[in-house]
């Protein structure tokens, strides 16, 4: 297989056009906020983002939500240390990494002598497809754009080094960074070996330069170190795994080419007509590629079959292996749906297949018919690019706000618990009873209709959904002033919890908010003793040294009239969780001299204690 390093001025112009279109497409995301209810809380507001040797060492020994990704965390630390918690710069960094990945992909296509115009179209399709939205727009998914960019550039540097018979230190460094950003970065190693096979056209190891084996040794060592720091994942039984794996094997190639299933969430997978269509489309595409390869197969072109077709298929299968298996995560069928390395490899495969097909055809003399045919093909490519751009533009606003994101995640026939719970978290962080009521009603509706959902019983969590929905509806109604309708719901959940029935989702700060709302309800009817007891329960149910814990301590000091202590606690809570509006509301009340109702200090004996016991 012939390759080239010659990049012309026309190539750079086409690459610049791809980057310009991609940058303009994703430019609106620069104004999007953080999504603390969708993992940004763990990656950004974790208390370990400031520049210090302590935090630098911390990310070498700690993971985030079970994933050990030190390169990603150092990248986020860089942003945080330079500009603080300002989402614009984090989004800009994500976009620049995506553009770098696209540039590396374009140069890789040209290295394999795919024509300039074809490389332009393939790079554009890859760059602006709607499945790129999650990786580019979601700050937490920095690891995806970081590792894919490193893998693509590592492959390019390796190809240049191998052609010049040199060991590439740049390829090695980028490979290690890719693995440290995300474990599938190890897929650079099979890509290196496949390229060496392309160039040497020999299956005998003695024909390869000895330093080739340094790449798998170094990459394997980094991989096992990163893997050893990750938390073990929980898997489903194989009766559940098999249909999910079949679904994902079809989902990745189809969604690479078609704007199919662009929902931002991980829907629960079950066999439907859509699943059958997915598998059918995948089989049809594989059959088409096989038909295009028939001329080489008939001629027994072993150079094509043994050193191009089989290694490409092996690389694609290797890239799919880490992302097709189901992992149980937050009561959803979590699969790495936004991982876009499989898309890059598939587009590269299609480009090489197209190149081979063109080379197998006899050269037709230039004619008006050929020119018209070429214009027609360009029109098809342009129409397809406009289709991808339109879908990406339409779905980009789904990420403009956490509430919009979770509502978009519920636009599916089978709702996901994670979207409903995320919507509830948005309502609590914003102290918005309307959003809390919406989430609670959705959870209760799901619990009532759970029998109709085609899922195993152990995945439905109907009781947990109903109890959580009751708690959310009760809190929302009390906050709206409907104490008569809300308090019975909250006290019902309180009795269940005290009896040891904890079949309720452990949503962050749910218990603290539950008992704080009960306390507010009692305070509204002038029952300070019971209100104080409920507030004490809220503090006891909240993990120590968290934003919610300090907020509740501030509420306690505020009600007791200790405004300096309340101010200190509220400021600490606001610094730890700037996305929670409640501490700043209390600080504004203190600053304006309107502290509101104050709970007297409670004497736990006598009439107050008896009243509390009666309640």
């Amino acid at each position: 297989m012939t390759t080239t390093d010659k990049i012309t001025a026309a190539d750079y112009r086409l690459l610049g056009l791809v980057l310009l279109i991609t940058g303009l497409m994703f430019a609106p995301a620069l104004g999007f906020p953080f999504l603390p209810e969708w993992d940004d809380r763990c990656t950004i507001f974790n208390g370990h983002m400031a520049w210090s040797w302590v935090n630098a060492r911390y990310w070498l020994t700690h993971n985030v939500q079970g994933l050990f990704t030190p390169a990603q965390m150092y990248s986020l630390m860089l942003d945080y240390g330079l500009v603080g918690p300002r989402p614009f710069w984090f989004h800009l960094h994500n976009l620049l990494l995506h553009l770098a990945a696209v540039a590396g992909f374009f140069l890789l296509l040209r290295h394999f002598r795919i024509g300039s115009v074809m490389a332009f179209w393939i790079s554009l399709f890859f760059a602006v497809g709607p499945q790129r939205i999650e990786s580019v727009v979601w700050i937490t998914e920095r690891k995806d754009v970081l590792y894919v960019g490193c893998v693509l550039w590592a492959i390019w540097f390796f190809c240049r080094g191998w052609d010049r018979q040199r060991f590439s230190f740049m390829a090695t460094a980028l490979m290690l960074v890719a693995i440290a950003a995300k474990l599938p970065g190890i897929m650079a190693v099979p890509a290196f070996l496949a390229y060496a096979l392309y160039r040497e056209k020999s299956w005998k190891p003695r024909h390869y330069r000895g330093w080739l084996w340094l790449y798998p040794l170094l990459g394997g060592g980094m991989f096992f170190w990163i893997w050893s720091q990750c938390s073990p994942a929980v898997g489903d039984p194989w009766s559940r795994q098999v249909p999910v794996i079949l679904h994902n094997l079809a989902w990745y190639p189809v969604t690479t080419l078609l704007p199919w299933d662009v929902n931002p969430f991980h829907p629960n997978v079950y066999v439907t007509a859509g699943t059958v269509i997915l598998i059918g489309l995948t089989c049809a595409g594989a059959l088409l590629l096989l038909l295009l390869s028939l001329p080489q197969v008939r001629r027994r072109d072993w150079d094509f079959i043994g050193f191009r077709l089989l290694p490409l298929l092996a690389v694609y299968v290797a890239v799919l292996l880490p992302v097709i298996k189901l992992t149980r995560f937050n009561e959803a069928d979590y699969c790495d749906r936004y991982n876009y390395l499989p898309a890059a490899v598939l587009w590269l495969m299609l480009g090489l297949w197209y190149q081979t097909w063109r080379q197998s055809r006899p050269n037709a003399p230039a004619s008006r018919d050929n020119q018209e045919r070429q214009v027609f093909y360009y029109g098809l490519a342009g129409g397809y690019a406009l289709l991808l751009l339109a879908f990406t533009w339409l779905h980009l606003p789904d990420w403009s706000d956490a509430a919009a994101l979770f509502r978009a995640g519920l636009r599916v026939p089978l709702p996901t618990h994670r979207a409903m719970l995320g919507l509830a978290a948005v309502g609590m962080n914003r102290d918005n009873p309307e959003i809390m009521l919406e989430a609670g009603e959705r959870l209760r509706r799901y619990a009532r209709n759970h029998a109709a959902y085609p899922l195993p019983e152990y995945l439905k969590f109907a009781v947990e959904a109903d109890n959580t929905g009751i708690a959310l509806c009760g809190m929302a109604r009390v906050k709206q002033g409907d104490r008569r309708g809300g308090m019975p719901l909250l006290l019902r959940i309180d009795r269940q919890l005290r009896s040891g029935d904890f079949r309720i989702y452990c949503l962050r700060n749910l218990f603290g908010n539950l008992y704080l709302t009960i306390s507010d309800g009692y305070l509204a009817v002038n029952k300070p003793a019971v209100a104080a007891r409920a507030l004490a329960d809220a503090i006891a149910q909240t993990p120590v040294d968290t934003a919610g814990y300090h907020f509740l301590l501030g509420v306690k000091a505020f009600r007791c009239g200790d405004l300096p202590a309340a101010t200190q606690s509220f400021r600490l809570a606001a610094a730890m969780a700037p996305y929670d509006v409640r501490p700043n509301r209390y600080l504004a009340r203190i600053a304006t001299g309107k502290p509101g109702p104050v709970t007297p200090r409670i004497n736990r004996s006598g009439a107050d204690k008896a009243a509390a016991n009666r309640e």
Side-chain angles (χ1 to χ4, degrees), residues 212-235:
L212 172 66
W213 312 111
L214 286 176
Y215 295 105
L217 288 175
L218 294 172
M222 174 67 81
F223 175 85
F224 283 110
W225 175 59
I226 298 293
W227 178 74
S228 68
Q229 301 292 326
C230 296
S231 300
V234 179

Side-chain angles (χ1 to χ4, degrees), residues 53 71 96 98 152 164 190 218 233 243 309 336 392 450 482 485 495 598:
W53 286 113
L96 292 176
H98 179 56
L152 293 175
R164 300 172 183 181
L218 294 172
L309 178 62
D336 202 358
T392 302
H450 76 278
D482 182 14
R495 286 192 296 270
V598 178

Side-chain angles (χ1 to χ4, degrees), residues 145-201:
V145 289
L146 179 59
Y147 107 87
V148 171
C150 288
V151 167
L152 293 175
W153 279 100
I155 295 173
W156 187 73
F157 278 109
F158 174 85
C159 295
R160 286 167 53 89
W162 189 264
D163 292 347
R164 300 172 183 181
Q165 299 185 359
R166 298 175 183 173
F167 180 80
S168 176
F169 290 97
M170 185 62 73
T172 305
L174 289 171
M175 174 191 68
L176 297 177
V177 172
I179 298 172
K182 198 170 185 178
L183 275 178
I186 190 64
M187 292 302 111
V189 172
F192 294 167
L193 299 179
Y195 183 78
L197 188 63
Y198 281 149
R199 298 293 285 155
E200 303 304 320
K201 295 182 174 58

Side-chain angles (χ1 to χ4, degrees), residues 65-108:
Q65 295 180 306
L67 298 177
F68 184 59
T69 55
Q72 176 206 16
M73 301 313 298
Y74 288 143
S75 172
L76 295 172
M77 276 183 67
L78 175 65
D79 295 349
Y80 196 95
L82 289 174
V83 298
R86 299 178 183 176
F88 173 86
W89 300 101
F90 287 81
H91 284 300
L92 180 61
H93 195 168
N94 268 29
L95 180 56
L96 292 176
L97 287 172
H98 179 56
L99 294 178
V102 173
F105 185 60
F106 179 89
L107 295 178
L108 199 58

Side-chain angles (χ1 to χ4, degrees), residues 248-585:
N248 290 343
L249 280 172
W251 186 89
Y252 276 105
V254 170
T255 55
T256 297
L257 305 176
L258 300 175
W260 177 296
D261 191 12
V262 292
N263 191 283
F265 263 73
H266 317 287
N268 292 103
V269 176
Y270 57 102
V271 178
T272 63
T275 308
V276 177
I277 293 174
L278 271 177
I279 296 175
L281 288 173
T282 305
C283 294
L287 181 61
L288 176 62
L289 292 178
L290 180 61
L291 291 176
L292 293 176
S293 306
L294 278 180
Q296 284 73 24
V297 175
R298 288 174 178 172
R299 293 198 306 266
R300 297 183 180 180
D301 186 354
W302 300 117
D303 177 64
F304 170 78
I305 298 172
F307 303 113
R308 183 178 299 185
L309 178 62
L310 293 180
L312 277 174
L313 289 175
V315 170
Y316 188 60
V317 171
V319 168
L320 284 180
L321 284 178
V323 296
I324 61 172
K325 187 173 181 290
L326 170 67
T327 299
R328 179 63 37 210
F329 180 78
N330 280 338
E331 300 83 36
D333 289 346
Y334 178 83
C335 305
D336 202 358
R337 297 165 63 87
Y338 36 81
N339 188 317
Y340 71 133
L341 185 59
V345 175
L346 182 58
W347 278 119
L348 176 61
M349 288 174 58
L350 294 176
L352 292 174
W353 249 300
Y354 175 79
Q355 174 193 357
T356 302
W357 176 69
R358 286 291 301 270
Q359 291 175 350
S360 66
R361 300 180 63 195
N363 293 326
S367 66
R368 183 178 179 83
D369 290 342
N370 287 335
Q371 293 177 356
E372 292 178 352
R373 189 180 299 114
Q374 190 175 32
V375 171
F376 174 72
Y377 290 152
Y378 286 168
L380 283 180
Y384 178 60
L386 288 175
L387 177 67
L388 295 180
L389 288 167
F391 267 85
T392 302
W393 186 261
L394 289 174
H395 288 275
L396 201 60
D398 290 345
W399 291 84
S400 62
D401 175 75
L405 172 67
F406 295 123
R407 289 186 179 116
L410 292 170
R411 294 197 300 259
V412 291
L414 182 59
T416 61
H417 300 82
R418 187 66 182 87
M420 290 182 277
L421 296 176
L423 194 61
V426 172
M428 289 191 293
N429 285 336
R430 298 180 184 177
D431 202 21
N432 188 316
E434 287 76 18
I435 297 179
M436 294 168 60
L437 186 62
E438 177 187 354
E441 289 176 344
R442 284 181 180 272
L443 283 165
R444 299 194 71 184
R445 190 182 312 125
Y446 167 82
R448 288 193 300 269
N449 301 329
H450 76 278
Y453 296 134
L455 289 173
E457 287 299 322
Y458 70 92
L459 292 180
K460 291 183 177 179
F461 302 99
V463 177
E464 290 83 351
D466 189 46
N467 288 338
T468 308
I470 291 172
L472 290 168
C473 289
M475 288 189 290
R477 289 175 181 171
V478 170
K479 290 179 180 294
Q480 290 174 332
D482 182 14
R483 180 181 176 277
R484 187 180 297 274
M487 288 298 287
L489 298 177
L490 296 179
L491 295 177
R492 170 182 167 183
I493 299 299
D494 176 43
R495 286 192 296 270
Q496 289 184 4
L497 294 176
R498 293 183 187 279
S499 67
D501 184 1
F502 284 95
R503 286 186 295 175
I504 189 170
Y505 284 118
C506 294
L507 188 61
R508 184 177 179 84
N509 292 333
L510 175 62
F511 297 142
N513 281 289
L514 171 71
Y515 286 109
L516 178 60
T517 308
I518 293 175
S519 176
D520 290 339
Y522 281 123
L523 196 62
V525 294
N526 198 24
K527 292 185 177 180
V530 191
R533 189 187 68 175
L535 181 58
D537 289 337
I539 295 173
Q541 293 287 346
T542 304
V544 178
D545 202 24
T546 61
Y549 180 79
H550 290 292
F551 168 71
L552 292 173
L553 290 181
V555 173
K556 179 180 179 181
F558 179 82
R559 291 183 178 179
C560 295
D562 189 355
L563 297 186
T567 301
Q568 182 180 0
S569 295
F570 289 140
R571 285 177 177 172
L572 184 57
M576 297 177 69
Y579 48 84
D580 192 338
V581 302
R582 297 172 302 167
N584 288 320
R585 286 182 179 176

